[in-house]
Amino acid sequence: MMKNAAFSLALCLSTLGLSACGFQPVYSPALSSEAGPIQIGQIDGRAGHELRKALLAETAAGLPGAPAGATMVVSLKETVINTGFRSDGSTFRATLRLTADYVVDLGDDAKSGREMAQVSVNLPDPVLEDITNQTEARQQAAKLLARKIVDTLILEMSPET
């Protein structure tokens, strides 16, 4: 009984310590659609999850000209194009392409568009290294795509000069 109480106390203290330093669980409210001024719906797939995280980070301070409560819906297509081949026919290099169609509902107006980002990735022989490379390429492409989407929206919503 005393062991359980000590364990519970230690768990509570460690949780308090982690929360004081800004720690949040992976699926915390900070990644929810209500986290920022622009609400971003779920985007399917692994690349979709990475793109949504990147979009939430890019729009955390809002978008100029976008009212609070604006919503964004994104559909994403992921394509892998083999670009380098060994003499035995196996692939050693590929290009990961993410194409996003998006609509931002601004209440009385809407902005839509399509953006594409691609990154190249080496495909080594060991399978685990291949998975790591693909994951890193997916994250990199999602960040690049999120930046392109936000830049385009900023340009479209800026007042005419």
Side-chain angles (χ1 to χ4, degrees), residues 79-95:
T79 308
V80 177
I81 304 161
N82 295 328
T83 57
F85 300 94
R86 294 182 184 92
S87 59
D88 66 356
S90 62
T91 304
F92 72 87
R93 189 147 182 88
T95 299

Side-chain angles (χ1 to χ4, degrees), residues 8-114:
S8 296
L9 179 62
L11 183 62
C12 286
L13 291 175
S14 65
T15 303
L16 287 173
L18 286 174
S19 64
C21 72
F23 170 80
Q24 291 183 336
V26 172
Y27 298 106
S28 74
L31 287 179
S32 74
S33 62
E34 294 82 27
I38 296 181
Q39 298 180 17
I40 301 168
Q42 177 181 332
I43 307 169
D44 294 332
R46 289 181 181 170
H49 176 73
E50 293 298 332
L51 177 59
R52 185 168 179 273
K53 281 191 330 185
L55 283 168
L56 285 170
E58 289 287 338
T59 61
L63 286 173
T71 59
M72 180 185 289
V73 177
V74 181
S75 65
L76 184 67
K77 180 181 177 188
E78 179 179 355
T79 308
V80 177
I81 304 161
N82 295 328
T83 57
F85 300 94
R86 294 182 184 92
S87 59
D88 66 356
S90 62
T91 304
F92 72 87
R93 189 147 182 88
T95 299
L96 174 70
R97 178 181 296 158
L98 298 180
T99 306
D101 291 306
Y102 61 90
V103 177
V104 180
D105 183 359
L106 303 168
D108 60 343
D109 191 16
K111 302 290 182 188
S112 64
R114 173 180 279 184

Side-chain angles (χ1 to χ4, degrees), residues 131-145:
I131 293 169
T132 302
N133 284 351
Q134 287 181 20
T135 301
E136 289 172 0
R138 190 175 286 121
Q139 291 169 345
Q140 183 182 1
K143 287 178 183 178
L144 179 61
L145 184 56

